[in-house]
Amino acid sequence: MIALILKRLLGMIPVMFIIIALTFGLMRLAPGGPFDRERKLPPAIEKNIQAKYNRDQPVWRQFWLYLKGVSILDLGPSLRYRNRTVDEIILQTLPVSVTVGGIAFCLASMNGIALGSFAAARRNSAIDHLSMTVALVAICMPVFVLAPICLLIFGLKLGWVPIAGWDSWRNVILPAVLLSLPYMAYVARLMRNSLIEVLQHDFIRTALAKGVSRRQAVIHHAFKLAMLPVISFMGPMAAEVLTGSIVVEKIFNLPGMGPFFVSAVFDRDDTLVTGITIVFSVMLLFFNLVVDVVYHYLDPRIRVHA
Amino acid sequence: MATGRWIFTLALSLLFAGCGIESEKPDFIILNGAEPETLDPHIITGQPEFRLVEALFEGLYAHDPTTATAVPGVAERYEISSDHKTYIFHLRKNACWSNGDPVTAYDFVESWKRSLAPETAADYAYLLYFIKNAKAYNEGTLTDFSRVGVQAPDAQTLQVELDYPTPFFIDLTAMPGLYPVHGPTLKQYGDNWVKPGHMVSNGAYRLKDWRLNDRLDMEKNPYYWDAAHVQLKTIRALPNSQAITAFSVYSAGGADLILDKGLAPIYLLDELRKRPDFHAATFLGVFFYRFNVTRKPFDDPRIRKALAMTIDRDLIVSKITKAGERPALAFVPPGTGGYQPPEGLGYNPDQARRLLAEAGYPGGRNFPSFSILFDTRELNTAIAVEIQQMWKRELGIDCFLENQDWKVYLNTQARLDYDVSRSSWVGDYNDPNTFLDMFMSDNGNNRCGWKNAEYDRLINQANRTIDEKERFTIFRQAETILLKEGVPIAPIFYYVGINFYDPQKWGGIHPNVLDVHPFKSIYRK
């Protein structure tokens, strides 16, 4: 087990190198630079700025300097927020995203699993149809439509939650719930399909024949196995949700990391783009590893093969 | 479920770490537009930063809240030599930094040296180029700063020598690029000097807290020379770049003042402009179209004139922009530093058709297809669609729309890789020169490929003329060439600054041409 984890961790290094090289390269290929503005700068001033950020050097050397920084967790200065480093921006914004995302993750997985299980256990019943309709609506209804509607009702009309900002725990509720909805729906549908499939297996029929109640059969025998596809979805979902949603954080004006995924690219803030790409990739690789470890415990078949 | 439980614990712990106790409500909350890029006066370039830095720092001169003209700041008064090239500023004795240190003329010399130093990499260093040898020092060709025209004979006297008379120099001293910064703090903290707890400033306010994309808190600076007249004790600036969110926050009572025109929801303007808390005033900004004169058929001035004369500006401001913008027939906004621009080409489709026919395209036949370039924004698209229709209807010519993301668009425009391009310009200071010098042949902001020796000569001549009336006459001659002969541009409308605040509750906010509203004069009624 430990050997497997170590092997996977070592395997991340070349993957990360390729990700960094690609991001770095693509940002340099994009037309327009971080210091371009409506006002064209006199050439001398432009030269001063390029020199300050080492951008007057050959690209391979800039890349080398950047890699050297990354190896000691120094992601360089932001090119737009000129007195902040990328490290500082990530450290300030990631906790906000992790808070909102963490709650959303729990809501999505717990509600999704519960909803999906009920639906599967009472297949074709009213509960099934109702929960699958809810799931379909949650998938189809984009957050940028739902969020302003919820803000209007719960924020402006009823005054239950603040409109925007990051002042108290009340700021977290609406964004976390909204963020969780589409993920919850996916989890519910996955869980339902998977549980229905597992319930048709021979070992469940055997259990039922031996006199185990249907309820017991679902909880003790089918549930664990049915979780497998859900778990593999939860890995990437965790990485996505925890690094911050672009739309939700923008609409609720949360000081999280999400909006930077887009704004940093538009600003051509190369170091910030690469920095948050690194954070996202590390999270993604990490949670995929977690998924593999959890798989090991849930599915005896995998354990045997390993 | 191991993952879930682990995440849950982490999330809970962060939740309590992340959201502090609800903080005390400040006296005044403003919605300020985008998150400030920095608070370093010499580095900032944008409006949101400028508004905060103007509260935190003060130059030799400052902006009058009513008229936006320069009024004494750190300097009490100045004397000017008879050739209008040497200024002697007399500094107040009671001007202090937020730690109690006195603000001296030496601070200004050191600060301007820093603003100009190549390693500071200041965008706005060129505002100091009017000072003798400043350009050479910034370009690195001169390394001895003592040869630059700024000296401090004593702690209260600053002597500045210019290359040639610059009637708007006093206005420049109210710009952040010429603000003083606190040397010892910079030395101690390096790039981190602008952070809360480190920053020492000399304005009416000092920095209390600053959290990325969250809030920026300022408190009254007790050492400020005019502290007795500063009414608001604490001010919070909320960063926000989404109009709809900003407006919701304001409507729910979460903010007292919306300062950024970008935060006014365009679709609601019809309704909003009827409200008593809607305030709009023309300021020094113009929306215009550039023609690429290096490309056929736009190399023919008749074509450019024809296109410019078929833009119905009244329709654009009444149906699209809708915030009370004024149609622009000239490039310089009327009243800029007291200047009245000449009348440019008005709306005249008949004459436009004649010009087009003369140029070889009667009825628009065989006119090559071309594109209108603009940066991705709803307003730009709406205007481009309208103008496309106008040209089709009146001249019978076809064009297509090409929208690009901001940085790509800037790059395309700078490389002259366009036919017609949306543009805008906001003046740096209240003088026609900030608009007119950009179309000189070698100016990096020209970006039309237009060159006119007579125009260059007139602008240079105007900037060496001391008498204001004579100077403006020369500027008018130059602008006439720009608008009626050369026509590398078609001005469309003058921007308005939009603010929202309750006039029953707040006083001291006045509409003015720079859209500046110094917080130190705002008070609760």
Side-chain angles (χ1 to χ4, degrees):
Chain A
M1 189 70 215
I2 295 191
L4 174 99
I5 294 177
L6 279 179
K7 216 172 104 191
R8 290 285 300 271
L9 284 175
L10 276 180
M12 283 183 192
I13 294 172
V15 176
M16 284 311 300
F17 177 81
I18 292 168
I19 289 172
I20 294 171
L22 275 177
T23 319
F24 192 92
L26 283 174
M27 283 309 289
R28 292 307 160 103
L29 287 179
F35 308 111
D36 288 351
R37 297 181 197 281
E38 179 86 66
R39 237 170 220 82
K40 180 94 178 93
L41 293 172
I45 294 181
E46 205 166 330
K47 216 178 93 212
N48 292 342
I49 298 177
Q50 301 287 1
K52 183 172 165 120
Y53 291 95
N54 291 327
R55 293 173 76 94
D56 52 345
Q57 303 194 12
V59 177
W60 64 266
R61 205 179 137 70
Q62 292 180 41
F63 183 60
W64 171 241
L65 288 172
Y66 184 73
L67 275 186
K68 260 185 19 193
V70 171
S71 67
I72 51 165
L73 296 180
D74 172 8
L75 300 176
S78 161
L79 305 179
R80 176 182 167 114
Y81 303 101
R82 281 176 60 178
N83 287 89
R84 293 184 191 269
T85 62
V86 174
D87 289 22
E88 191 186 330
I89 291 177
I90 291 172
L91 285 175
Q92 276 200 30
T93 57
L94 190 60
V96 175
S97 296
V98 169
T99 309
V100 178
I103 297 172
F105 181 86
C106 298
L107 288 175
S109 36
M110 289 192 290
N111 294 337
I113 290 168
L115 216 60
S117 308
F118 276 119
R122 307 238 191 288
R123 196 178 168 192
N124 290 331
S125 69
I127 290 192
D128 181 20
H129 292 310
L130 183 70
S131 49
M132 284 308 107
T133 312
V134 170
L136 198 68
V137 171
I139 292 177
C140 298
M141 196 81 154
V143 178
F144 57 82
V145 175
L146 266 182
I149 296 176
C150 291
L151 267 181
L152 186 68
I153 300 173
F154 301 109
L156 281 175
K157 292 267 182 283
L158 297 172
W160 290 351
V161 289
I163 304 293
W166 193 243
D167 269 316
S168 78
W169 60 272
R170 285 162 60 230
N171 284 106
V172 188
I173 306 169
L174 216 46
V177 171
L178 284 169
L179 180 57
S180 77
L181 285 181
Y183 293 101
M184 177 204 78
Y186 270 114
V187 170
R189 293 182 71 88
L190 267 178
M191 187 67 201
R192 175 180 179 272
N193 294 348
S194 154
L195 193 57
I196 286 175
E197 202 195 309
V198 172
L199 284 174
Q200 284 163 352
H201 276 296
D202 288 344
F203 74 93
I204 298 289
R205 214 170 301 155
T206 314
L208 289 172
K210 281 181 170 175
V212 175
S213 72
R214 192 174 160 79
R215 185 192 164 85
Q216 289 275 314
V218 171
I219 296 174
H220 289 289
H221 298 274
F223 187 77
K224 231 166 117 181
L225 198 59
M227 276 296 287
L228 289 179
V230 178
I231 295 282
S232 50
F233 173 71
M234 278 163 73
M237 164 176 142
E240 261 178 50
V241 168
L242 293 179
T243 45
S245 152
I246 297 155
V247 180
V248 170
E249 291 185 359
K250 195 98 202 166
I251 293 179
F252 290 93
N253 215 27
L254 300 177
M257 202 174 85
F260 289 121
F261 280 99
V262 175
S263 69
V265 177
F266 283 139
D267 296 335
R268 300 287 185 278
D269 193 339
D270 301 352
T271 43
L272 187 54
V273 171
T274 320
I276 55 179
T277 308
I278 291 175
V279 173
F280 180 77
S281 314
V282 167
M283 298 261 258
L284 190 64
L285 293 173
F286 171 77
F287 284 108
N288 277 335
L289 177 62
V290 173
V291 165
D292 284 353
V293 174
V294 176
Y295 247 72
H296 249 258
Y297 285 102
L298 284 182
D299 191 349
R301 290 170 301 187
I302 291 180
R303 226 176 301 165
V304 172
H305 288 299
Chain B
M1 285 304 287
T3 337
R5 212 173 304 151
W6 180 80
I7 301 279
F8 189 70
T9 326
L10 180 76
L12 267 188
S13 57
L14 280 169
L15 177 62
F16 293 111
C19 332
I21 313 144
E22 291 195 42
S23 50
E24 206 177 307
K25 204 171 181 298
D27 287 352
F28 195 60
I29 305 179
I30 57 170
L31 284 158
N32 190 43
E35 164 71 18
E37 295 177 13
T38 169
L39 291 176
D40 186 331
H42 299 159
I43 305 288
I44 61 162
T45 56
Q47 282 282 318
E49 292 82 7
F50 170 75
R51 290 189 279 257
L52 299 170
V53 164
E54 188 174 45
L56 294 166
F57 293 86
E58 185 172 68
L60 291 169
Y61 271 68
H63 289 117
D64 181 90
T66 321
T67 59
T69 48
V71 290
V74 172
E76 227 162 16
R77 61 193 170 87
Y78 69 92
E79 287 151 25
I80 186 166
S81 64
S82 56
D83 63 357
H84 287 241
K85 290 207 288 196
T86 307
Y87 286 75
I88 295 169
F89 292 93
H90 298 279
L91 274 56
R92 295 173 198 281
K93 286 201 174 65
N94 56 347
C96 285
W97 292 99
S98 56
N99 63 356
D101 291 355
V103 180
T104 64
Y106 310 120
D107 288 327
F108 276 92
V109 176
E110 280 306 305
S111 300
W112 291 7
K113 181 178 174 186
R114 172 187 186 254
S115 197
L116 282 169
E119 57 274 19
T120 307
D123 283 32
Y124 269 91
Y126 66 85
L127 288 181
L128 289 144
Y129 282 8
F130 301 97
I131 300 169
K132 199 177 122 196
N133 285 333
K135 188 167 184 233
Y137 186 77
N138 184 242
E139 286 174 344
T141 49
L142 173 79
T143 47
D144 178 11
F145 189 76
S146 63
R147 290 183 51 207
V148 178
V150 51
Q151 262 126 33
D154 64 66
Q156 252 76 48
T157 315
L158 187 73
Q159 186 181 327
V160 184
E161 216 179 312
L162 307 182
D163 269 333
Y164 50 83
T166 309
F168 46 87
F169 185 71
I170 293 297
D171 288 300
L172 292 181
T173 64
M175 299 278 297
L178 280 74
Y179 283 0
V181 291
H182 191 246
T185 311
L186 263 77
K187 201 173 264 172
Q188 188 178 352
Y189 295 107
D191 272 348
N192 278 320
W193 77 274
V194 298
K195 305 281 165 66
H198 300 171
M199 184 195 277
V200 172
S201 61
N202 74 324
Y205 290 88
R206 58 185 182 190
L207 185 64
K208 201 165 108 190
D209 195 7
W210 179 19
R211 285 186 252 162
L212 187 68
N213 268 338
D214 185 4
R215 72 186 51 164
L216 185 145
D217 284 331
M218 297 183 288
E219 62 185 1
K220 189 174 162 175
N221 172 9
Y223 297 104
Y224 180 58
W225 62 269
D226 199 17
H229 293 107
V230 179
Q231 304 230 15
L232 301 169
K233 289 202 172 57
T234 47
I235 298 179
R236 172 170 298 166
L238 299 175
N240 202 319
S241 43
Q242 294 284 101
I244 207 77
T245 312
F247 206 76
S248 306
V249 171
Y250 171 77
S251 307
D256 303 300
L257 169 66
I258 301 185
L259 272 172
D260 208 271
K261 74 174 159 60
L263 294 182
I266 299 172
Y267 294 116
L268 303 176
L269 277 180
D270 271 337
E271 277 306 306
L272 293 178
R273 56 183 302 201
K274 294 179 201 147
R275 298 177 15 165
D277 61 346
F278 174 89
H279 307 269
T282 299
F283 79 105
L284 299 186
V286 56
F287 181 106
F288 63 102
Y289 270 21
R290 279 185 160 93
F291 299 112
N292 182 353
V293 308
T294 63
R295 269 201 191 167
K296 276 189 185 315
F298 306 100
D299 55 342
D300 185 339
R302 287 171 300 189
I303 304 269
R304 307 198 291 266
K305 280 184 210 169
L307 292 174
M309 288 163 96
T310 29
I311 298 174
D312 185 351
R313 295 160 175 90
D314 294 314
L315 186 87
I316 289 171
V317 297
S318 62
K319 292 281 180 290
I320 304 176
T321 62
K322 294 194 289 198
E325 286 86 353
R326 277 193 295 166
L329 290 178
F331 186 62
V332 182
T336 303
Y339 168 83
Q340 287 306 325
E343 180 98 344
L345 300 173
Y347 182 62
N348 192 342
D350 289 333
Q351 203 189 334
R353 277 187 286 270
R354 273 197 296 279
L355 282 166
L356 197 66
E358 259 175 51
Y361 303 100
R365 275 189 296 281
N366 298 328
F367 198 88
S369 176
F370 65 99
S371 72
I372 304 179
L373 171 75
F374 55 91
D375 54 302
T376 316
R377 242 180 297 174
E378 285 165 81
L379 189 69
N380 295 339
T381 316
I383 292 172
V385 168
E386 201 56 55
I387 289 179
Q388 183 189 34
Q389 290 300 318
M390 290 170 186
W391 286 343
K392 172 79 189 162
R393 192 176 58 231
E394 301 295 346
L395 301 176
I397 56 179
D398 282 306
C399 58
F400 55 95
L401 308 184
E402 189 179 359
N403 89 53
Q404 293 183 345
D405 126 60
W406 176 243
K407 298 275 183 180
V408 182
Y409 149 88
L410 288 179
N411 191 274
T412 312
Q413 202 182 60
R415 284 187 290 117
L416 288 182
D417 187 16
Y418 69 91
D419 301 316
V420 178
S421 166
R422 175 218 90 98
S423 304
S424 57
W425 189 257
V426 175
D428 282 328
Y429 42 89
N430 195 3
D431 186 274
N433 186 54
T434 183
F435 287 92
L436 293 175
D437 76 343
M438 68 188 269
F439 291 108
M440 293 173 76
S441 305
D442 59 348
N443 193 299
N445 288 312
N446 182 312
R447 283 180 269 169
C448 298
W450 184 69
K451 290 186 166 67
N452 184 311
E454 176 64 5
Y455 184 85
D456 293 356
R457 193 189 63 77
L458 286 169
I459 298 293
N460 279 328
Q461 191 194 337
N463 280 332
R464 277 155 184 70
T465 307
I466 297 170
D467 181 66
E468 185 178 87
K469 214 173 138 205
E470 197 185 328
R471 184 165 172 264
F472 284 176
T473 309
I474 303 170
F475 271 139
R476 255 190 297 278
Q477 283 172 17
E479 195 175 355
T480 308
I481 295 178
L482 179 74
L483 297 170
K484 289 195 155 159
E485 289 173 33
V487 202
I489 53 161
I492 296 176
F493 63 84
Y494 299 116
Y495 281 108
V496 289
I498 301 175
N499 308 131
F500 287 93
Y501 63 89
D502 182 356
Q504 305 285 326
K505 204 170 157 192
W506 303 104
I509 311 171
H510 307 276
N512 57 52
V513 289
L514 291 180
D515 198 19
V516 293
H517 309 284
F519 303 140
K520 66 173 183 177
S521 37
I522 298 177
Y523 58 91
R524 198 185 179 111
K525 282 182 178 166

